[in-house]
Amino acid sequence: MRGVISLRRFWAILVKEFVQMRRDRLTFAMMVGVPVLQLLLFGYAINADPKSLPTAVVMGEASPFARAFLAGIGNSGYFRLVGEAVDEQAADRMLARGDVQFVVTIPVDFQRRLLRGEHPAVLVEADATDPAATSNALAALSRIAETAAVRDLGGAQAGLAARPPPFEVRIHRRYNPEGVTAYNVVPGLMGTILTMTMVIMTSLGMTRERERGTMENLLAMPVRPAEVMLGKIVPYILVGYVQVTVILLAARFLFGVPMAGSLVLLSLVLVIFIAANLAIGFTFSTVAANQLQAMQMAFFFFLPSILLSGFMFPYRGMPDWAQVVGEILPLTHFLRIVRGILLKGSGWTDIAPEVWPLLAFMAAAMALALLRYRRTLD
């Protein structure tokens, strides 16, 4: 009868859907895996208030007051003293390479000037390329300065403690002194846009061939797997350079992002980063049975890339396990490279430690893609 729901027919449709879901295991795994991944990343890995930021010290003197201040910033939880720089030039190099987030410089006559009531200054230089990573730590410095040396001021110097703080903390934000968020976000967008578009376009390439029935023609051609892969990814490398040109023009003329380093050096690194993403997309295309699965796999790769690379949230605020995962992803290293070149004026020696992980990822992804393509041929 019309309008009456038959439990028998309903049950048949229900069973058919479960059977179809069981057959399409990859889609089912993505449906379960993506929410679990989001839950873990947002619940455990994301932290907008980073602590234990690496800090180097240039010790002009090792007086009790200087040590009290260093102990105070260490006890605040925001700063982690990782070592003493030989001089200011060595500290500058550590800051430029990204080895440390802060450099604290204790002046030579700090104690003598403090006891004479001259209100000496302690210089704290911060890598402000990511304003969100340093803002809370810098805000805590004024409270530390008010309390750090008071305990050691007794007797005849007790009057100095009554006029806190007995010394000044002079903050110098390097590379982005005004704390403009666009200076950090726009160069980062270059990496995220390239990751998203390159992986998706390549992962859809082979699956589209399979769905349209042109895969057989490709397999019948007398070409090697490496030739197929290179032929498919090289046009997208050119597309990637077009995207980068548009982003750089917008960054310079719309957002005023400074470009302190060499664009030629950036262009050379770009080819490695783009090829790495295209290779991982090619690998996905050899695994996915259709374009929907290819899109899901690309999203599964893109989600941790954007959350664990330091694009949206401070990288140093993440737990150790999340940083280990982030180090594997090419976007993490590319963000350090592009921000270093554009904002810090980094040269080859500064970015070299970030280039070899990109090369290793690209080589591994290409080897896996070729291996998977041979299996597809079989």
Side-chain angles (χ1 to χ4, degrees):
M1 181 184 295
R2 287 180 178 271
V4 178
I5 295 179
S6 166
L7 288 178
R8 183 166 165 270
R9 292 194 295 269
F10 165 72
W11 180 253
I13 295 295
L14 192 67
V15 171
K16 175 254 181 193
E17 286 299 320
F18 276 115
V19 171
Q20 191 169 339
M21 194 180 297
R22 189 186 62 185
R23 289 175 178 171
D24 191 0
R25 294 180 179 176
L26 185 58
T27 300
F28 181 72
M30 290 294 174
M31 291 170 61
V32 176
V34 169
V36 170
L37 184 64
Q38 288 179 314
L39 185 65
L40 291 175
L41 293 183
F42 281 101
Y44 290 106
I46 304 305
N47 177 18
D49 185 19
K51 301 285 184 67
S52 298
L53 298 170
T55 304
V57 180
V58 179
M59 289 290 284
E61 67 174 31
S63 64
F65 294 103
R67 295 192 179 282
F69 176 68
L70 294 178
I73 64 174
N75 292 334
S76 71
Y78 285 105
F79 303 88
R80 176 169 52 87
L81 302 178
V82 296
E84 187 174 332
V86 177
D87 51 29
E88 294 181 0
Q89 288 72 26
D92 277 346
R93 288 194 294 273
M94 295 173 74
L95 207 59
R97 288 196 304 264
D99 296 339
V100 295
Q101 193 81 30
F102 300 98
V103 172
V104 179
T105 302
I106 306 294
V108 173
D109 53 353
F110 179 65
Q111 177 168 310
R112 181 178 63 82
R113 295 185 59 197
L114 187 148
L115 294 178
R116 291 171 61 179
E118 295 180 0
H119 208 67
V122 173
L123 178 63
V124 177
E125 296 174 281
D127 179 355
T129 51
D130 184 358
T134 57
S135 58
N136 289 341
L138 293 178
L141 280 175
S142 59
R143 297 193 301 272
I144 297 170
E146 291 175 358
T147 58
V150 171
R151 187 177 55 187
D152 296 325
L153 291 171
Q157 290 83 34
L160 296 173
R163 297 177 297 169
F167 60 92
E168 176 188 0
V169 177
R170 194 167 295 167
I171 296 172
H172 185 190
R173 293 177 174 84
R174 300 282 300 274
Y175 315 121
N176 184 9
E178 297 175 352
V180 180
T181 305
Y183 291 2
N184 179 63
V185 172
V186 176
L189 274 175
M190 186 187 302
T192 55
I193 290 173
L194 286 174
T195 300
M196 181 176 64
T197 55
M198 295 296 109
V199 173
I200 289 177
M201 283 193 297
T202 322
S203 61
L204 292 178
M206 293 292 287
T207 50
R208 191 182 299 118
E209 297 261 11
R210 197 176 295 117
E211 289 186 350
R212 290 177 177 175
T214 55
M215 187 67 181
E216 290 77 5
N217 298 334
L218 193 62
L219 296 176
M221 293 173 63
V223 292
R224 298 179 180 278
E227 294 167 346
V228 174
M229 186 174 69
L230 289 175
K232 280 193 167 293
I233 69 174
V234 167
Y236 293 116
I237 291 178
L238 299 179
V239 174
Y241 272 97
V242 172
Q243 290 180 329
V244 169
T245 302
V246 173
I247 294 170
L248 283 176
L249 289 173
R252 185 70 186 91
F253 296 106
L254 293 182
F255 301 100
V257 176
M259 298 184 181
S262 169
L263 294 182
V264 175
L265 180 61
L266 179 61
S267 301
L268 294 176
V269 178
L270 268 171
V271 70
I272 305 172
F273 178 66
I274 294 174
N277 283 296
L278 291 173
I280 196 69
F282 192 88
T283 305
F284 290 160
S285 71
T286 63
V287 177
N290 50 56
Q291 294 188 56
L292 175 61
Q293 289 186 356
M295 283 287 293
Q296 290 171 330
M297 295 175 76
F299 181 72
F300 198 77
F301 176 76
F302 182 66
L303 184 62
S305 292
I306 195 172
L307 292 179
L308 301 182
S309 62
F311 171 67
M312 293 184 67
F313 305 98
Y315 177 82
R316 288 185 169 126
M318 300 174 190
D320 292 341
W321 67 267
Q323 292 191 16
V324 170
V325 176
E327 290 292 334
I328 299 172
L329 302 169
L331 182 58
T332 304
H333 303 282
F334 183 73
L335 290 182
R336 294 171 186 165
I337 291 171
V338 68
R339 287 169 177 163
I341 291 176
L342 293 185
L343 302 182
K344 300 180 181 179
S346 299
W348 169 251
T349 54
D350 298 318
I351 66 170
E354 308 297 338
V355 173
W356 73 261
L358 282 180
L359 285 169
F361 185 93
M362 181 186 70
M366 284 186 169
L368 184 60
L370 289 174
L371 182 65
R372 286 290 315 171
Y373 186 73
R374 285 199 178 94
R375 289 182 178 177
T376 304
L377 286 172
D378 294 338

